[in-house]
Amino acid sequence: MFVPAGSFVMGSDRAAVLQLWERYGWDRRWFDGQVGGTDWIGELFPHEVELDGFWMYRDPVTIGQYHRFMLATGYPAPVDAAVHGPWNSAWADGAPIPGGENLPVSSVSWDDAAAYCAWAGVRLPTEAEWEYAARGPAGSTFPWGDDWRPGVCRCGEDTAGRPFTDYDEWRRWLNGGCSRLQSGGRFDRACWLSPRGTGPCRSLRGGAWLSTAHTSRGAQRLCYPPDSRDTNDHGFRPAAHLK
């Protein structure tokens, strides 16, 4: 899908997000640790960003698409038996389970996603591109607006099994490191360590099937080591510059 050039305010205003937290009664510890950045990388310091037009996959990369990449390059399946155990049932002996080819690929690391993009002639979106695509020029809290609407997305907040609409079920890897947002529209050049302190990390954005409402917001930010396959809600949606 084509995302036209435009501008928006990236990040969150502390007072506005606190008001949202109070309205829905969300756990304040998540605000302090994740939004404020004491445990994670934070999303405060709102600033205006201008973007050129770009193309972005309408849907996340699927298991079938990823398998074609594996066959063409000899790349291994995104499964670590020592970590996943029974979690990732999408693969058996390095091949997709029949019937699962159209599901989003999961458990991929940033390294895996970058390798696929290099093979496919695309790239991972930047954080600004992904947030603009998710929030729109108005900078809405969720892709559909500013109010939480149970049933619009499939996540841990709403387990009724309703169909997907505006939001898919996987967090997405993005291009670049996950530095703290700074005032003046800049990023801190020092790449933060992962939450586990295991080395430089990469940005991960979006909600997932296990997310709560507040972690499904368009401005929410996470980070993991680039080789991490230790959770089964990580996928990716490539982008491309105009040609």
Side-chain angles (χ1 to χ4, degrees):
M1 298 180 69
F2 179 65
V3 181
S7 64
F8 80 113
V9 176
M10 183 178 179
S12 296
D13 175 78
R14 177 183 290 272
V17 181
L18 273 174
Q19 187 176 38
L20 195 68
W21 237 257
E22 293 170 359
R23 189 201 322 172
Y24 291 109
W26 294 335
D27 190 333
R28 176 59 189 265
R29 290 173 297 179
W30 279 93
F31 178 89
D32 294 333
Q34 193 173 70
V35 179
T38 57
D39 297 331
W40 297 86
I41 53 178
E43 65 187 55
L44 302 180
F45 301 114
H47 59 282
E48 187 168 358
V49 175
E50 293 187 7
L51 293 168
D52 295 330
F54 61 96
W55 292 87
M56 180 178 283
Y57 276 34
R58 185 188 65 184
D59 302 307
V61 170
T62 65
I63 291 171
Q65 289 172 318
Y66 197 84
H67 188 228
R68 289 194 288 275
F69 153 68
M70 289 166 50
L71 293 176
T73 62
Y75 206 85
V79 176
D80 184 340
V83 172
H84 293 133
W87 292 359
N88 194 333
S89 60
W91 304 89
D93 299 323
I97 297 293
E101 293 86 354
N102 292 326
L103 296 174
V105 67
S106 65
S107 302
V108 288
S109 68
W110 184 92
D111 291 335
D112 296 336
Y116 174 94
C117 288
W119 170 78
V122 291
R123 61 179 177 83
L124 291 172
T126 66
E127 281 203 72
E129 287 172 339
W130 187 91
E131 190 170 325
Y132 181 59
R135 303 180 69 190
S140 62
T141 303
F142 301 102
W144 53 85
D146 289 325
D147 297 320
W148 175 248
R149 290 170 51 192
V152 172
C153 66
R154 184 177 182 179
C155 66
E157 193 80 12
D158 175 34
T159 57
R162 297 182 178 91
F164 310 132
T165 52
D166 301 75
Y167 217 62
D168 61 69
E169 60 170 332
W170 305 111
R171 294 189 169 109
R172 269 78 51 183
W173 286 109
L174 301 175
N175 190 31
C178 50
S179 304
R180 181 191 281 269
L181 286 174
Q182 299 292 313
S183 59
R186 297 171 299 174
F187 283 88
D188 186 339
R189 294 298 180 186
C191 189
W192 275 34
L193 294 179
S194 73
R196 296 171 182 80
T198 55
C201 57
R202 295 291 183 270
S203 302
L204 196 73
R205 302 292 295 268
W209 61 271
L210 46 60
S211 296
T212 57
H214 58 79
T215 57
S216 298
R217 296 173 302 108
Q220 185 250 3
R221 308 174 75 217
L222 293 173
C223 66
Y224 281 85
D227 60 351
S228 173
R229 289 176 174 170
D230 68 351
T231 184
N232 61 343
D233 64 344
H234 295 178
F236 63 106
R237 183 200 305 268
H241 288 293
L242 285 174
K243 296 182 178 180

